[in-house]
Amino acid sequence: FLLHPPKHHPAPLRGWVKGEVGGWTWDDAVDTPPPPDIPRSSSSLQPPKLPPGSFRPKQSLGQNFLTDQNTINNIVSAFAKDASLPSASSSSPPPKMVELGPGPGALTNVLVARYGAPALTCVEIDPRAVSILRASFPGLSVRHADVLRVEYPLLNAALAGEQPLAVIGNLPYYITSQILFALADASHADAVRCATVTMQREVGDRLVAGTSTKDYGILSVVFQLYADVRMHFRIPNTVFYPKPKVESALMGLKFVGAKELRRRLRGARPKDLQRVVKACFGQRRKVIRNTLKGMMRGEFGEGEVTEKIGALGELGAKRPEELGWREFVEVTRGIYGVEEGWEDGYELGDKVWRKEKHGGGFGEEEEAAEAVAQD
Ligand SMILES: C[S@@+](CC[C@H](N)C(=O)[O-])C[C@H]1O[C@@H](n2cnc3c(N)ncnc32)[C@H](O)[C@@H]1O
């Protein structure tokens, strides 16, 4: 483990040129200064240059690359805080880190320089970016895979991580919620300790929204229950190439972990909570007893429905946006009961918030995990 590994710079290339149809593109034949909306970096590291030729960012993969070194440094510093990473002078090893969607390596560059390649694993779907990363960062584990297939507990076991993983990423925005839900599920197994991730600012607003606000919804309930969430800072669209239409934010999620989650749920099963929260926000304007009556009819007899709805008392007359996670837990316990002997711990579930089709892991990781288990 190197505290001060050599700095890796992707092969020196040329620079930004104005494309024919507007916008900026890379050209290896022209040596230009950055365009005016891409500030020069004050740091010794530089954002990676895209390779000559045909690396056109793909909108379909949510490719908006970070081009401002100050922003990149600030993201990594916020990550270091969220993950309680040891300082460069400390002798204690950092937790295993996972970067989601590293692209050509803007964040990777700083992470490798600060913590060394062995501490980091990257998951990237674009084979062009995978090639660049493998060439630029010898010794770095780059998984060519869909991030939605990651099974974090398996990955952590394969990496022989002794603590939960620390996750970082300038996320592909088209799958932000799916990635977050997978991380929530991973926290059931204490596989992930924190995530420091960029997202569309509006999504970030929802994560931290208070009750009875327009942004309050499923994301607010789930992530305020599962994690301590904060918005580190907003990110203007000018620091990305190509420039997205939306403003972004860097969010930090520190997961409370399985033990605290069980304490907060007081025996309620996450899957039951998911059913309740989803049904209630599916009919946001209705008071919850009307929505829940409908939801329960397929599952309970008429007498039981009436009894359980009655037992909700005043909570039943509220709209979902008025309920914090504690109230949703209360409602869930009232309807579905609690896991027997929950004080001694119980299974929280492996696919609760993410979709059934997601996960599945990578074969090689499963093998590696087995090898670790056999050691
Ligand atoms: C917003 S870009 C960030 C790139 C780079 N980290 C940066 O900040 O410049 C999102 C990255 O996620 C990758 N990506 C998109 N969908 C993915 C998926 N399903 N699984 C893994 N990576 C994905 C894209 O190819 C792209 O490199």
Side-chain angles (χ1 to χ4, degrees):
F1 166 66
L2 296 170
L3 285 175
H4 297 291
K7 289 172 183 168
H8 297 291
H9 297 283
L13 297 164
R14 289 295 125 91
W16 295 99
V17 289
K18 191 91 171 161
E20 276 170 24
V21 289
W24 294 91
T25 184
W26 285 101
D27 192 321
D28 62 327
V30 189
D31 203 356
T32 58
D37 58 350
I38 297 175
R40 282 181 178 281
S41 159
S42 58
S43 141
S44 59
L45 290 177
Q46 296 286 320
K49 306 252 191 290
L50 298 178
S54 60
F55 197 120
R56 291 173 66 85
K58 285 190 183 167
Q59 208 182 355
S60 62
L61 290 179
Q63 291 186 339
N64 298 99
F65 302 122
L66 284 161
T67 57
D68 172 37
Q69 194 59 43
N70 287 332
T71 307
I72 294 165
N73 293 342
N74 290 340
I75 293 174
V76 175
S77 298
F79 171 60
K81 269 193 212 138
D82 287 344
S84 311
L85 297 179
S87 66
S89 58
S90 160
S91 58
S92 54
K96 296 289 179 186
M97 306 171 200
V98 177
E99 186 184 355
L100 306 178
L107 295 168
T108 323
N109 205 14
V110 181
L111 292 165
V112 168
R114 283 201 195 169
Y115 304 107
L120 182 66
T121 296
C122 293
V123 183
E124 171 60 56
I125 205 167
D126 186 340
R128 303 171 305 169
V130 171
S131 307
I132 295 174
L133 292 166
R134 287 187 177 150
S136 307
F137 305 106
L140 176 69
S141 164
V142 183
R143 315 267 169 157
H144 179 207
D146 181 347
V147 70
L148 295 177
R149 280 183 40 76
V150 175
E151 294 286 0
Y152 294 93
L154 279 181
L155 178 59
N156 201 17
L159 298 174
E162 286 167 17
Q163 317 161 39
L165 298 164
V167 172
I168 182 170
N170 172 22
L171 298 184
Y173 292 177
Y174 71 107
I175 45 173
T176 301
S177 305
Q178 294 314 317
I179 292 173
L180 295 177
F181 283 136
L183 293 171
D185 279 352
S187 82
H188 291 169
D190 284 324
V192 170
R193 69 155 66 176
C194 64
T196 308
V197 284
T198 63
M199 60 190 69
Q200 194 174 331
R201 203 210 71 217
E202 280 83 354
V203 182
D205 285 341
R206 283 190 230 157
L207 291 181
V208 292
T211 51
S212 301
T213 63
K214 72 168 175 31
D215 291 327
Y216 191 73
I218 297 182
L219 286 175
S220 331
V221 176
V222 176
F223 290 98
Q224 290 170 27
L225 165 63
Y226 274 67
D228 296 327
V229 191
R230 61 175 294 194
M231 185 178 284
H232 284 294
F233 50 83
R234 293 177 175 193
I235 310 177
N237 65 354
T238 46
V239 303
F240 297 95
Y241 173 79
K243 238 184 340 184
K245 290 197 178 70
V246 294
E247 193 188 1
S248 300
L250 181 71
M251 305 301 296
L253 292 89
K254 292 200 220 178
F255 289 97
V256 298
K259 189 169 176 219
E260 169 63 12
L261 187 59
R262 284 192 195 96
R263 200 188 63 76
R264 291 183 176 192
L265 289 166
R266 294 183 299 122
R269 285 166 289 262
K271 194 77 201 171
D272 294 336
L273 176 72
Q274 187 259 8
R275 224 171 284 157
V276 167
V277 171
K278 206 171 150 198
C280 290
F281 280 104
Q283 299 188 285
R284 204 183 161 89
R285 304 304 312 153
K286 277 195 181 175
V287 297
I288 65 164
R289 70 170 163 240
N290 292 346
T291 304
L292 295 174
K293 249 186 239 166
M295 179 195 82
M296 289 161 73
R297 282 214 171 97
E299 306 173 45
F300 301 94
E302 203 52 43
E304 224 177 337
V305 171
T306 310
E307 190 188 316
K308 285 176 188 282
I309 291 293
L312 290 180
E314 288 183 4
L315 273 184
K318 297 206 184 271
R319 296 206 166 84
E321 68 205 40
E322 296 176 276
L323 306 185
W325 62 258
R326 287 178 185 80
E327 285 79 32
F328 274 111
V329 166
E330 203 46 56
V331 171
T332 306
R333 296 175 92 235
I335 295 177
Y336 291 107
V338 300
E339 192 75 36
E340 234 171 82
W342 61 269
E343 293 88 347
D344 305 323
Y346 61 103
E347 276 298 308
L348 295 167
D350 144 59
K351 264 189 196 171
V352 172
W353 301 100
R354 61 184 173 156
K355 293 189 172 148
E356 203 50 48
K357 66 179 179 191
H358 292 157
F362 320 130
E364 61 189 285
E365 263 135 46
E366 281 150 34
E367 276 164 32
E370 263 170 38
V372 170
Q374 282 162 14
D375 275 350

